[in-house]
Amino acid sequence: ASIVVPDETKDLREWDNSLKEAKEKLDWRREEQRRQREAAERSNFEENVKTWLEEAQVVTDKVNAKYQRQAWLRQQMIARREEQRRLDKIAREKMTKDAERRAQEDAMAELERQHLKAAEETRENHERHEMSLCEMHQRAIDRFWGIPTAKEKERRLAEFLRRQFEARIRDRRAMMVAVGGEISVDKNVAAKVPDLLGLPQFRIKTLNITGQELSDDPLGLRRRPIGQ
């Protein structure tokens, strides 16, 4: 069986016409609203102008207040900076004066130290000169009177010990002669006794003055015959 499609052309044309009419009405209504709004705006123009001017003045006042505050802050910052510069300048001048004063004090202290050092050197040189003169004078006295030096004292001490050894030998010899007669000993043998005993420094040295033997004298300042 064949399919029969009904003709809807008429309905579509009517729907299209109704759509066009609705669109025209909507456009007309929008245009009318726009005209009414413009008319209302024109009727209220003076009031709107006043409102706009007030709002513009508020905005202008805010901008001016902002600029004025910025200018005031800038002036305050400049004033603080100038005050800080003035204080810094005063501090620098004070530090400069203090540095100059300290430099003068250091220079005075250094000058005083140099004077004291020069005086100390002068005193040391004077004392050294005086000590040299005293030492020269003392040496002259020592050379004149023969005051023994350290080596001279050592030599005289050795001489004293040697003479003590000789005195003991002589005492023993005298005792032996007194009790039983003198024992003769060859001089060469007697001279070798200290070496045999390990005492070479005590070699016997016999001195005779007018046939008499000398006694011991540690300092060698006096001489006397034995028995006197």
Side-chain angles (χ1 to χ4, degrees), residues 13 19 28 36 49 56 79 82 89 94 96-97 110 116 137 163 184 203 222 225:
R13 287 178 180 176
L19 182 61
W28 176 83
Q36 291 178 1
V49 168
E82 293 296 329
K89 183 179 179 181
K94 183 178 179 181
T96 301
K97 292 180 180 179
E110 179 64 20
L116 293 176
H137 181 66
R163 293 193 178 190
S184 299
R203 291 192 180 93
R222 58 189 178 85

Side-chain angles (χ1 to χ4, degrees), residues 98-142:
D98 292 341
E100 292 177 353
R101 178 178 55 80
R102 288 195 299 271
Q104 292 178 357
E105 292 177 355
D106 294 340
M108 294 292 292
E110 179 64 20
L111 185 61
E112 183 67 19
R113 188 188 66 80
Q114 292 179 1
H115 287 167
L116 293 176
K117 184 177 180 181
E120 182 68 18
E121 291 178 354
T122 302
R123 184 182 64 81
E124 290 179 357
N125 293 332
H126 178 71
E127 291 180 355
R128 190 178 294 109
H129 180 67
E130 292 294 330
M131 291 175 64
S132 299
L133 293 178
C134 291
E135 186 176 0
M136 292 171 61
H137 181 66
Q138 187 64 37
R139 286 185 178 182
I141 293 175
D142 294 345

